[in-house]
Amino acid sequence: MKAVWEEYYKYKGKDWMEMKKAEMDQAIRDGTLREWVEYRSEPNNFANYNVYSYYYLNDQAPSISWYSFERNDFEPVITYWHVNPAGMVTLAGIGVAGTIATLYVFKKTR
């Protein structure tokens, strides 16, 4: 996991990561770390979560949970939507069945 998160660090760059770490450190001092991680990123932006995950994995941030995360529980959130392939197949099947039913009904009414 450290190798994966190291790629995130490189992708974002040292300056940006250090700027976000300074924000995180202030939230730690203020006692608002959980809020900073969970709510203070822009909508649909997991930047604070990702920064926290990187530094937590590297022993530079405390746990924010009532239970302790395992270090390998963290995966970067890079996309905003998770698409389950089985769900897509199901939706496609429903769409095809609906189209066939509509065409059948349309043909019968003509």
Side-chain angles (χ1 to χ4, degrees), residues 30-109:
D30 294 344
T32 59
L33 179 60
R34 177 186 289 277
E35 180 184 21
W36 182 83
V37 170
E38 295 178 353
Y39 304 112
R40 290 199 186 155
S41 288
E42 295 296 318
N44 296 324
N45 179 353
F46 298 97
N48 292 358
Y49 169 83
N50 288 341
V51 169
Y52 168 77
S53 297
Y54 172 83
Y55 286 108
Y56 177 76
L57 187 66
N58 286 285
D59 298 319
Q60 296 181 43
S63 175
I64 60 170
S65 180
W66 54 269
Y67 68 95
S68 183
F69 288 111
E70 294 295 323
R71 297 272 183 231
N72 61 357
D73 285 348
F74 289 94
E75 294 181 17
V77 178
I78 295 172
T79 60
Y80 301 129
W81 302 96
H82 171 72
V83 178
N84 183 332
M88 291 304 293
V89 169
T90 301
L91 288 176
I94 291 169
V96 169
T99 302
I100 291 170
T102 301
L103 291 174
Y104 179 77
V105 169
F106 181 72
K107 187 175 181 180
K108 285 290 187 181
T109 58

Side-chain angles (χ1 to χ4, degrees), residues 2-26:
K2 283 189 177 188
V4 171
W5 280 105
E6 196 58 42
E7 290 301 314
Y8 180 81
Y9 186 96
K10 289 176 188 175
Y11 172 75
K12 288 302 202 175
K14 180 182 178 183
D15 292 341
W16 186 85
M17 287 293 289
E18 293 300 319
M19 176 191 71
K20 294 299 279 181
K21 184 176 188 304
E23 286 179 20
M24 182 183 72
D25 289 341
Q26 185 61 49

